[in-house]
Amino acid sequence: MTATPSVLTARALLLDMDGTLVNSDASVERVWRRWADRHGLDGDEVMKVVHGRQGFASMAMLLPDRPMEQNYAENARMLAEETADTEGVVPIPGAREFLASLAGLPHALVTSADVALSTARMAAAGLEQPAVRVTAESVGASKPDPEGFLKGAAELGVTPADCVVFEDSGAGIAAGRAAGMRVVGIGPRAGFHGPDVVVRDLTQVRVERMPSGMIRLHIAA
């Protein structure tokens, strides 16, 4: 899909972090390419898998014969490594203004990162944390499973059909779709995965507060 002028109406917004609010690609590349080297895997192929998923889920896809216990253990070490590596982590253009425009409106962060990593990356990017957060600790299944988005909707007290998801990755967009939600795709990766609309970045999204309490999203071309 390409960006086209459109309007979406919602009661709540569910926001991914990496690639959606925060550009952490430099850190992700460094950490996961080192992991690929350690396991004799092609770094380019690894990078096609890891975006949007929890680390243990990516490892299970890339090393299908390895026991999950090893994936969970190594994922814990990877999360610590990623949390310590915030060099080059910056906000997605428009993210700071977009989050400010959501003050007082129902919204939640729904991320595959854990609390420590999400806190470190949002701080490195100079972004305020939403009051409601669904992190890796909150779910039993990684995106593309819809559990995280469904939990976010439930915590906000909003039905899934009344939520709009903001996502950049194939796994995240699939999760939003599986949750029965509409999806705004952010950035160049998103357009390949069938979001309702895709934008270059958050400068192309304007939030309007409706007197009814609804949120109107104006999507610019």
Side-chain angles (χ1 to χ4, degrees):
M1 290 187 178
T2 57
T4 55
S6 61
V7 175
L8 296 174
T9 302
R11 292 193 180 278
L13 306 184
L14 301 177
L15 315 173
D16 175 51
M17 182 182 69
D18 293 302
T20 300
L21 298 173
V22 171
N23 182 345
S24 56
D25 282 358
S27 173
V28 173
E29 288 264 348
R30 285 191 295 269
V31 171
W32 278 97
R33 285 187 181 276
R34 286 197 297 267
W35 181 88
D37 288 343
R38 290 197 297 269
H39 292 281
L41 298 174
D42 181 88
D44 291 339
E45 294 303 312
V46 167
M47 295 313 303
K48 291 177 183 178
V49 170
V50 299
H51 291 291
R53 292 182 172 83
Q54 290 193 47
F56 69 82
S58 297
M59 293 171 190
M61 293 180 65
L62 293 161
L63 298 172
D65 297 326
R66 191 166 80 159
M68 281 303 297
E69 290 77 7
Q70 292 184 34
N71 295 335
Y72 289 126
E74 190 167 29
N75 182 52
R77 294 192 293 272
M78 291 282 284
L79 283 169
E81 192 176 344
E82 289 184 279
T83 300
D85 184 354
T86 57
E87 183 180 351
V89 173
V90 296
I92 294 291
R96 190 171 290 111
E97 296 80 4
F98 175 72
L99 285 172
S101 74
L102 296 180
L105 294 173
H107 66 287
L109 188 73
V110 181
T111 175
S112 295
D114 64 3
V115 169
L117 180 56
S118 61
T119 300
R121 284 186 175 163
M122 291 289 280
L127 299 177
E128 291 286 335
Q129 289 269 17
V132 177
R133 287 179 280 171
V134 179
T135 61
E137 296 94 337
S138 309
V139 298
S142 172
K143 300 172 186 177
D145 190 282
E147 182 185 0
F149 287 126
L150 293 173
K151 283 200 169 187
E155 288 200 31
L156 295 171
V158 178
T159 61
D162 285 329
C163 295
V164 169
V165 165
F166 284 71
E167 265 286 0
D168 72 302
S169 70
I173 291 167
R177 287 288 199 201
M181 301 172 181
R182 291 156 294 158
V183 181
V184 175
I186 307 295
R189 286 191 291 263
F192 297 103
H193 303 289
D196 291 274
V197 64
V198 61
V199 295
R200 179 184 64 251
D201 54 45
L202 290 167
T203 64
Q204 294 183 288
V205 181
R206 180 172 65 84
V207 177
E208 180 186 0
R209 302 162 183 255
M210 304 293 290
S212 63
M214 298 288 285
I215 302 167
R216 182 176 288 168
L217 299 169
H218 298 266
I219 313 294

